[in-house]
Structure formats: C-alpha cells, structure tokens
Amino acid sequence: MHAPKASHYEAALHIVKYIKKQPGLGLLMSSRGEEKVKAFYDSDWASCPISRKSITCFCVKLGTSLISWKAKKQSTISKSSVEVEYRSMAHIVAELTWLNGLMKELGVSVKLHMDLYCDNKAAL
C-alpha cells in the first residue's frame, strides 16, 4: 500500500479483467452500509496425510460482504487440537488487526468490536 510496484498494478488489472469476463463469479458486495466485522475460522488437526501438519481456514465479513479469506497449512506440527486452534486464533487476530488499519487508511468506518467465531470448546 505504501510503495506499490508495477507488478502490483498488473496483478490488480489481472483480477479486474477476470471479474469483468466472469460476472457470475465476481464478489458480491452489499449496498447496505454495515460497519460490523465478523471473522469465522476452523482448523483441522494433523489433516495433511503426508506432513501431519494442520490446515487452517478463515473468512472475514464486513456486514454481509466477504472481504478476506484464506486456507493454509500451518508451518509447524502441533501436538494437540487445542494448540492448533490457538495458533489459528492468533493468525486471524493478526489479520483483523491488519484489516482494521487498512480500513482506517481507506476511510472506512468500522466498529472496533469485531466478532470472532470458532467451533472448538477448548479454544472458547
């Protein structure tokens, strides 16, 4: 954001061209001005059959519009499902902190209370 390069511009144009050619596959953004950020995440402990690493997935919504998502294999092997959940939670909190700063820079007003949802009783 602070020092964009030609490669960043080309990547943005590539995405815009893709969405323009495939209107049914674009991202739908709600026209309602909701300011509430909600994050959902889930982890699968040792789900990679080769490396036994855990896989974490998350998505972040602004109101009803999806604004961020990711699925990745964790870089370390965790000893328990609780450890995986905590690592995932730390990762999504870092993402929420970054998104909050980005939205402030873009002039988007966001309520600071952001909800984080998970399905693990030990993490709760």
Side-chain angles (χ1 to χ4, degrees):
M1 293 289 298
H2 297 289
K5 298 178 182 173
S7 60
H8 297 118
Y9 178 72
E10 290 170 8
L13 280 180
H14 181 75
I15 292 169
V16 170
K17 288 177 184 176
Y18 173 77
I19 292 173
K20 186 177 179 182
K21 290 180 184 176
Q22 305 292 334
L25 299 176
L27 296 176
L28 297 175
M29 303 298 282
S30 175
S31 60
R32 291 182 280 164
E34 296 183 44
E35 302 172 351
K36 187 69 175 167
V37 174
K38 297 177 188 174
F40 304 87
Y41 79 93
D42 192 23
S43 298
D44 292 328
W45 178 55
S47 59
C48 179
I50 297 169
S51 65
R52 304 309 297 164
K53 291 183 180 179
S54 303
I55 296 176
T56 299
C57 306
F58 71 84
C59 68
V60 181
K61 290 184 166 192
L62 177 61
T64 58
S65 302
L66 184 66
I67 59 171
S68 179
W69 66 93
K70 190 170 193 175
K72 72 173 213 154
K73 199 182 295 186
Q74 290 190 343
S75 57
T76 59
I77 298 174
S78 300
K79 295 181 179 181
S80 69
S81 63
V82 176
E83 183 182 351
V84 172
E85 294 291 334
Y86 280 122
R87 287 181 188 270
S88 301
M89 195 180 304
H91 184 76
I92 188 70
V93 168
E95 179 79 9
L96 289 172
T97 303
W98 181 82
L99 281 171
N100 187 33
L102 176 64
M103 286 189 258
K104 281 183 183 177
E105 284 185 30
L106 295 174
V108 177
S109 63
V110 176
K111 293 181 181 176
L112 282 181
H113 178 74
M114 298 179 178
D115 294 333
L116 178 59
Y117 297 96
C118 72
D119 63 350
N120 188 287
K121 290 182 181 180
L124 292 174

